[in-house]
């Protein structure tokens, strides 16, 4: 036991130990609690939701993730580089989308031409068989 955890009570030591394993550790402890004695699992679930605020932080961080690329860093040289790089990437994305569109159109045209050739051959064979 380290000196930092020596003065902690066993519930605090168990909590810090589970925190070391993250959410998966807490979930595993909750499942084991339900298996051994359901009130233990229920108590761990309640503690995870209300005591540890399991869902609060992750939802908040996802909300602001999309706007982080456009915020200023405070360094004008880096901000200029970042805006140029983002503009270049947007241009490359547009060029790639246009390329994919041309590729799909070429594939569609070749498939249509193949269908028309097969259809023409089939009609010619039917006409020969009738005659």
């Amino acid at each position: 036991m380290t000196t930092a955890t020596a003065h902690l009570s066993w519930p605090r030591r168990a909590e810090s130990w589970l925190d070391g394993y993250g959410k998966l550790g807490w979930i595993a402890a909750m499942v084991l609690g339900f298996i051994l004695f359901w009130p233990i699992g229920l108590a761990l679930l309640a503690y995870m939701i209300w005591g540890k605020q399991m869902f609060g932080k992750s939802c908040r961080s996802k909300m602001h993730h999309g706007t982080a690329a456009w915020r200023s860093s405070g360094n004008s040289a880096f901000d200029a580089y970042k805006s140029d790089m983002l503009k270049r990437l947007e241009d490359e994305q547009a060029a790639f989308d246009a390329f994919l569109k041309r590729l799909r159109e070429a594939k569609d045209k070749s498939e249509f031409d193949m269908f028309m050739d097969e259809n023409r051959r089939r009609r010619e064979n039917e006409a020969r068989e009738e005659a």
Side-chain angles (χ1 to χ4, degrees):
M1 205 181 303
T2 65
T3 58
T5 59
H7 68 283
L8 296 175
S9 63
W10 74 267
R12 292 285 176 213
R13 285 194 310 259
E15 178 185 7
S16 65
W17 182 75
L18 280 173
D19 282 343
Y21 289 100
K23 288 182 183 178
L24 289 178
W26 280 98
I27 292 170
M30 180 193 61
V31 169
L32 284 174
F34 274 115
I35 290 171
L36 296 175
F37 186 58
W38 69 266
I40 294 172
L42 192 61
L44 280 171
L45 177 64
Y47 182 71
M48 286 169 49
I49 292 174
W50 290 290
K52 300 291 289 177
Q53 298 175 351
M54 182 178 203
F55 302 108
K57 183 179 178 185
S58 62
C59 294
R60 243 181 278 123
S61 66
K62 287 180 185 175
M63 253 180 9
H64 300 293
H65 180 63
T67 61
W70 297 106
R71 274 187 281 159
S72 174
S73 68
N75 183 331
S76 61
F78 177 73
D79 289 341
Y81 167 77
K82 182 173 72 170
S83 83
D84 290 342
M85 182 63 69
L86 289 173
K87 172 86 170 97
R88 192 188 73 169
L89 288 172
E90 287 173 352
D91 293 343
E92 286 180 9
Q93 178 68 39
F96 184 68
D97 288 342
F99 169 75
L100 286 178
K101 183 180 178 193
R102 287 191 314 269
L103 195 63
R104 285 186 201 107
E105 288 172 355
K107 182 182 174 193
D108 289 347
K109 184 177 180 341
S110 69
E111 288 174 349
F112 179 73
D113 290 343
M114 219 166 42
F115 168 76
M116 292 302 287
D117 288 341
E118 287 176 11
N119 194 24
R120 181 182 44 82
R121 276 189 235 116
R122 184 180 48 84
R123 280 185 284 141
E124 287 174 356
N125 286 339
E126 287 175 357
R128 272 190 238 135
E129 288 175 1
E130 290 178 1

